[in-house]
Amino acid sequence: MGKLAVYRYFSLMFLIATIVVMLFTFAGLLGGRVDPVGNTAMAMLVYILPILIILNVLLLIYWIIRRRWIYIALPIIPILCSIPYMGTLFQLRSQPSNVDNIKGLKIASYNVQVFGRETTGFKAEDILAEMKRQKIDVLCLQEYADANGDKKNSDSYKEYFPYMAMGESDMVIFSRYPIKEQKNIPFSDHGDGTGWTTNNSAMWATIDVKGKLLRVFNVHLETTGFNRAKHQAEKIVAQGRSVENNRLVKAIYGNYTLGMIVRAGQARLVANEVAMSDVPCILCGDFNDVPYSYTYNTLLGNLVDGFKECGSGFNYTFREPSKPFRIDYIFHDESLEGITYYTKEISYSDHLPVFMKIAL
């Protein structure tokens, strides 16, 4: 009887764990639709969705081994519901080989991290050389500045990209096609009530591509706030004061959730600009947020995620080894068609550049 009681106890614990993981997975999938203002806990579940999916798979294997067929549906249902989310991270297809023969617009988005604040200009020139090799027609850069924090206006860039639109802070759009109109979108007052000061912003430029007008958005949303909390902790340590683990966790969580709320307000501001456009839009940039988050879904709206449409393999854009996240994107209007979408391993920044070719 003792062994049977232990057996039943562990079965009950696994059943409870299966139900809890299932409910948390559903909450995570719905969390990206919930405004983080007042719902930060549910919105945060989006960030652990990969872990929850893996747990569902492990629990599915457990119940199969146990041959408890009645419980197998509990992990299967959330796994099936997670397929659209998994499609934002991985696509089981290969890139086409003849894309150069297809007419279209080649666009790139790249957070260049202030070119490493180097003074020689070699990084900027190497990045330009790569854009030439990729045959880029429109280039959107974030954190575009020189070693002194001043905006670059390199003659070499102007030679290859004769048209340029400068943003209000660290943004620029280079184009090989004429720019007819542009607008800066400052984030200094986006009505989220947090009082958060920011240098981030967005912009758009209307480009005439062989008689077809397209509005290209370049976006750089608020950072996560993790580094802000880390710097606070380092400052306290430097002053000789101790930092308790729970205080550090609270600081990181507080900064991250506040940054999430700020990004939500910025995303709504940009989404409204996209909705008001009278020409097809292409939206790209550094969102500083993961797929299926509130920021992602707000900006996606009725647009198409280029990676889900024509990307391949596992896609990540934040290249630090411990943080392989997808936070840089290219979306486009439903009237346009994606041909190819990919990133390239370039070590000039903590981000990877994102490339997409769109048929016209």
Side-chain angles (χ1 to χ4, degrees):
M1 291 296 294
K3 290 183 179 180
L4 181 60
V6 171
Y7 176 82
R8 288 177 176 175
Y9 173 78
F10 277 103
S11 294
L12 178 61
M13 290 300 101
F14 269 96
L15 178 59
I16 293 173
T18 302
I19 295 172
V20 169
V21 171
M22 177 184 67
L23 294 176
F24 270 74
T25 304
F26 288 143
L29 293 172
L30 293 174
R33 303 290 180 179
V34 176
D35 191 330
V37 178
N39 300 284
T40 54
M42 187 171 181
M44 285 287 286
L45 287 175
V46 175
Y47 301 96
I48 63 169
L49 270 175
I51 298 174
L52 292 171
I53 294 171
I54 291 172
L55 288 175
N56 277 291
V57 172
L58 293 176
L59 288 165
L60 174 62
I61 294 172
Y62 170 79
W63 291 119
I64 291 175
I65 293 174
R66 290 284 310 278
R67 296 184 180 182
R68 302 298 293 271
W69 313 118
I70 192 172
Y71 297 141
I72 286 178
L74 295 178
I76 283 181
I77 293 173
I79 290 172
L80 294 177
C81 292
S82 300
I83 290 176
Y85 166 75
M86 289 186 278
T88 66
L89 305 177
F90 182 84
Q91 287 291 327
L92 189 61
R93 70 164 69 93
S94 59
Q95 290 292 303
S97 59
N98 60 340
V99 293
D100 289 339
N101 299 327
I102 304 174
K103 293 182 179 180
L105 182 77
K106 192 78 175 287
I107 186 167
S109 177
Y110 193 15
N111 183 325
V112 294
Q113 199 185 19
V114 202
F115 296 104
R117 297 194 180 278
E118 54 87 17
T119 58
T120 64
F122 80 90
K123 284 189 177 181
E125 295 302 316
D126 280 1
I127 290 172
L128 174 60
E130 183 61 39
M131 298 304 156
K132 290 179 179 179
R133 283 192 291 270
Q134 299 297 325
K135 300 179 181 179
I136 299 303
D137 299 306
V138 177
L139 172 62
C140 297
L141 297 180
Q142 305 90 41
E143 294 194 31
Y144 173 79
D146 63 16
N148 299 315
D150 299 322
K151 295 172 183 175
K152 283 184 175 289
N153 192 356
S154 166
D155 289 338
S156 57
Y157 274 71
K158 289 167 60 179
E159 180 181 352
Y160 185 73
F161 297 104
Y163 305 98
M164 179 181 67
M166 292 297 301
E168 191 170 83
S169 54
D170 66 346
M171 315 288 287
V172 64
I173 297 176
F174 290 108
S175 174
R176 293 177 59 79
Y177 295 102
I179 294 176
K180 297 297 185 180
E181 189 181 9
Q182 72 175 86
K183 179 180 178 179
N184 295 330
I185 308 172
F187 291 155
S188 55
D189 181 17
H190 41 73
D192 58 27
T194 62
W196 187 293
T197 57
T198 181
N199 293 321
N200 295 66
S201 65
M203 64 179 296
W204 57 254
T206 302
I207 301 175
D208 185 347
V209 183
K210 299 179 179 179
K212 182 179 181 64
L213 294 180
L214 298 173
R215 183 158 294 170
V216 177
F217 283 77
N218 188 9
V219 177
H220 186 198
L221 301 187
E222 196 61 43
T223 57
T224 59
F226 178 84
N227 288 333
R228 186 188 295 244
K230 181 181 175 183
H231 293 157
Q232 288 176 352
E234 290 173 348
K235 185 177 180 180
I236 292 173
V237 172
Q239 293 173 350
R241 293 182 287 164
S242 62
V243 181
E244 298 176 2
N245 288 336
N246 62 335
R247 287 176 57 199
L248 182 58
V249 170
K250 288 180 179 178
I252 292 174
Y253 181 80
N255 278 277
Y256 199 95
T257 54
L258 186 57
M260 184 168 57
I261 292 171
V262 172
R263 283 194 301 278
Q266 296 170 350
R268 287 192 294 268
L269 186 64
V270 174
N272 288 336
E273 288 282 340
V274 173
M276 291 187 295
S277 176
D278 56 353
V279 298
C281 294
I282 300 172
L283 173 62
C284 58
D286 175 9
F287 296 1
N288 271 312
D289 224 328
V290 297
Y292 253 59
S293 64
Y294 180 82
T295 295
Y296 171 91
N297 285 320
T298 300
L299 289 174
L300 183 63
N302 294 323
L303 301 177
V304 177
D305 183 338
F307 173 72
K308 290 190 70 175
E309 179 188 28
C310 54
S312 62
F314 173 69
N315 188 257
Y316 69 96
T317 64
F318 193 55
R319 60 181 296 272
E320 290 189 9
S322 60
K323 303 174 183 178
F325 302 131
R326 181 182 177 219
I327 61 176
D328 303 83
Y329 306 84
I330 299 178
F331 299 160
H332 65 79
D333 190 271
E334 290 178 322
S335 65
L336 304 174
E337 180 186 357
I339 301 172
T340 183
Y341 187 107
Y342 60 97
T343 57
K344 189 173 177 62
E345 290 286 347
I346 299 176
S347 60
Y348 297 127
S349 169
D350 54 355
H351 291 250
L352 296 179
V354 181
F355 303 97
M356 185 175 188
K357 189 167 188 178
I358 297 174
L360 298 178

